[in-house]
Amino acid sequence: GLGDVYKRQAIDTLHDVVDILPKNNKYTEYYLCTLHRPFNVDCKTTLHNILIKLNNLNKQVIIPAHPRLKNNITNTYSNIKFIEPLGYLDFISYIKHSHGVISDSGGVQCECAFLNIPLLTLRPTTEHLITLSLGNKLIDITQIGSNNFIRNKFQRPELWDGNASKRIVKIINQYHLDKSINLNHKSWTNLEAKNVTAYMKSKTLAEKSAWEFIENQKDGKKMELVVINPGPVFGPTLSGNLDGAS
């Protein structure tokens, strides 16, 4: 199967933009950091402890500050530069020209792996397991350090070839042509299946609630719901090793 559909499409986009990225002339020797998950930034003490560790790294740390993070900063940090959130191309450029990235993001794991930039993921788990063999290292706060980056050259996975979108279209067309396949709004992932994770369950329940809301509209109200359902939500599961970290 295509596996993680939305990740593969993001990889396709990186193929398109990697050669047209704007040059980052403001900063040269730096680590890039992004933090937005509640378990890292909602508690001011936890966030402060993270920022202290970042402040002690051997290069300046650039943080495009998520509003949730910005609202909970309680101190100043001489080795950290907080900047405004970046657009997509600028952000990818910042990754590409950094000496390493510290993040709790999901997408950043794939972007760093594609660009061969070492990454410390400040989370206990990942939904992008393949990146663990491509320079991504799961850490806790105590492991934030310049010496913990995995600095090797990795070969991109074969399916990260920039053609995932074409393969997706081909499969969709096959479903249209094969009349024996009948997937509809009732073809949900089986939540009792052994390989269904919390992530898949939460996505499925959210989509089912949206469908039920639309179906239960009365008094002549008409609404349309358009949803692009990834594999963890709709139809048979594509993989049994997805992680529930998101």
Side-chain angles (χ1 to χ4, degrees):
L2 290 173
D4 189 338
V5 172
Y6 30 93
K7 173 183 69 181
R8 299 283 166 75
Q9 290 176 303
I11 296 298
D12 283 6
T13 301
L14 286 170
H15 277 277
D16 293 336
V17 306
V18 69
D19 293 326
I20 60 170
L21 294 175
K23 291 186 177 180
N24 173 17
N25 294 320
K26 279 189 176 182
Y27 311 103
T28 54
E29 299 286 323
Y30 66 91
Y31 297 112
L32 182 67
C33 175
T34 72
L35 300 169
H36 73 281
R37 295 190 183 268
F39 55 77
N40 281 330
V41 301
D42 279 5
C43 173
K44 293 182 179 180
T45 300
T46 299
L47 177 60
H48 176 60
N49 290 336
I50 293 172
L51 295 176
I52 287 176
K53 295 288 286 187
L54 293 173
N55 198 54
N56 289 330
L57 294 179
N58 61 1
K59 300 183 189 299
Q60 186 180 39
V61 178
I62 308 299
I63 302 182
H66 188 283
R68 183 184 282 134
L69 180 152
K70 189 182 297 185
N71 292 337
N72 286 326
I73 297 174
T74 57
N75 293 72
T76 57
Y77 307 91
S78 59
N79 195 38
I80 298 177
K81 176 70 174 178
F82 296 99
I83 64 174
E84 290 300 308
L86 298 166
Y88 176 70
L89 291 180
D90 286 320
F91 181 69
I92 299 301
S93 179
Y94 269 70
I95 292 177
K96 183 178 180 181
H97 295 99
S98 73
H99 280 263
V101 178
I102 307 96
S103 180
D104 57 16
S105 168
V108 169
Q109 296 173 47
C110 299
E111 291 158 353
C112 285
F114 180 89
L115 296 168
N116 221 316
I117 300 297
L119 170 67
L120 300 179
T121 297
L122 196 55
R123 285 165 49 179
T125 55
T126 175
E127 65 274 33
H128 302 303
L129 297 177
I130 194 172
T131 64
L132 296 178
S133 61
L134 300 171
N136 180 17
K137 183 176 182 179
L138 302 181
I139 63 166
D140 60 31
I141 295 175
T142 65
Q143 296 171 300
I144 298 174
S146 304
N147 294 329
N148 277 338
F149 287 102
I150 302 173
R151 301 190 181 279
N152 294 317
K153 291 294 182 182
F154 301 97
Q155 185 173 355
R156 291 175 190 161
E158 183 179 351
L159 290 177
W160 287 20
D161 58 2
N163 294 313
S165 297
K166 294 178 181 178
R167 290 192 289 271
I168 291 169
V169 171
K170 182 178 179 180
I171 290 175
I172 291 174
N173 287 335
Q174 288 174 344
Y175 272 82
H176 281 295
L177 294 173
D178 190 344
K179 302 303 180 183
S180 67
I181 300 174
N182 182 22
L183 290 179
N184 55 45
H185 69 288
K186 298 186 184 299
S187 304
W188 302 104
T189 292
N190 178 9
L191 299 184
E192 303 304 320
K194 184 178 180 180
N195 61 350
V196 174
T197 66
Y199 175 79
M200 298 158 74
K201 287 182 179 180
S202 65
K203 296 292 187 182
T204 301
L205 291 172
E207 297 291 357
K208 288 183 73 173
S209 296
W211 277 103
E212 290 168 1
F213 175 80
I214 298 298
E215 287 184 331
N216 292 331
Q217 291 303 299
K218 299 179 180 179
D219 302 325
K221 294 181 180 178
K222 293 184 178 180
M223 300 178 68
E224 291 185 359
L225 177 66
V226 179
V227 179
I228 299 177
N229 286 291
V233 175
F234 190 75
T237 60
L238 296 177
S239 170
N241 61 1
L242 287 179
D243 193 282
S246 288

